[in-house]
């Protein structure tokens, strides 16, 4: 996905963190906004600020999606609001799953091509 966006001169910086958040409307009847707050949101924002034209995820996200996405571990980073460094991973591609087992890892580009071919058929 990142490569495809860069081809169009778009430089994505995406941070993903998995966990509990608090959501709801904030404000009064004259001005209301929908807000999502919490440590998970803050961690995702900190990862996004470090992503520099890529996608970075935390350990919880990597652990929960490791059967469907292949990741490469990166060096843990210190982020504001956390006492300990945060483990960081970069997704490399989507895992092809059959009968609950990963058969092989396909790149995001290959997955997109397969979806396009299936849609055209």
């Amino acid at each position: 996905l990142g490569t495809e966006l860069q081809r169009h001169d778009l430089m994505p910086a995406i941070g993903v963190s998995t966990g509990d958040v608090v959501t709801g409307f904030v404000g009064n009847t004259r001005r209301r906004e929908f807000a999502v707050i919490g440590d998970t949101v803050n961690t995702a924002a900190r990862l996004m600020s470090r992503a520099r034209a890529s996608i970075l995820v935390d350990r919880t996200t990597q652990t929960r999606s490791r059967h469907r996405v292949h990741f490469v571990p990166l060096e843990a980073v210190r982020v504001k609001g956390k006492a300990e460094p945060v483990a960081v991973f970069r997704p490399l591609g989507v895992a092809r799953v059959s009968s609950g087992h990963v058969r092989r890892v396909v790149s995001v580009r290959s997955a997109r091509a397969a979806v396009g071919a299936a849609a055209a058929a």
Side-chain angles (χ1 to χ4, degrees), residues 1-119:
L1 178 61
T3 305
E4 185 69 24
L5 290 172
Q6 288 172 8
R7 208 170 68 190
H8 297 286
D9 293 325
L10 298 171
M11 303 300 278
I14 301 170
V16 181
S17 182
T18 300
D20 295 330
V21 298
V22 177
T23 64
F25 289 99
V26 178
N28 56 35
T29 56
R30 295 187 75 194
R31 180 182 162 112
R32 289 180 82 147
E33 294 179 344
F34 188 79
V36 181
I37 60 174
D39 184 59
T40 302
V41 175
N42 295 340
T43 301
R46 304 289 185 230
L47 291 176
M48 182 187 75
S49 70
R50 292 176 171 272
R52 292 189 172 78
S54 68
I55 302 169
L56 299 179
V57 306
D58 67 356
R59 180 177 302 284
T60 304
T61 303
Q62 183 270 340
T63 300
R64 291 186 180 184
S65 59
R66 71 181 182 272
H67 299 295
R68 297 198 178 260
V69 179
H70 181 68
F71 294 92
V72 61
L74 303 175
E75 188 173 328
V77 297
R78 290 205 170 271
V79 297
K80 183 178 176 183
K82 297 277 192 181
E84 298 296 320
V86 174
V88 179
F89 302 84
R90 176 173 288 125
L92 293 182
V94 179
R96 190 167 284 167
V97 179
S98 174
S99 305
H101 300 288
V102 174
R103 295 180 75 195
R104 68 186 178 114
V105 174
V106 294
S107 71
V108 173
R109 180 176 285 159
S110 306
R112 186 177 297 107
V115 168

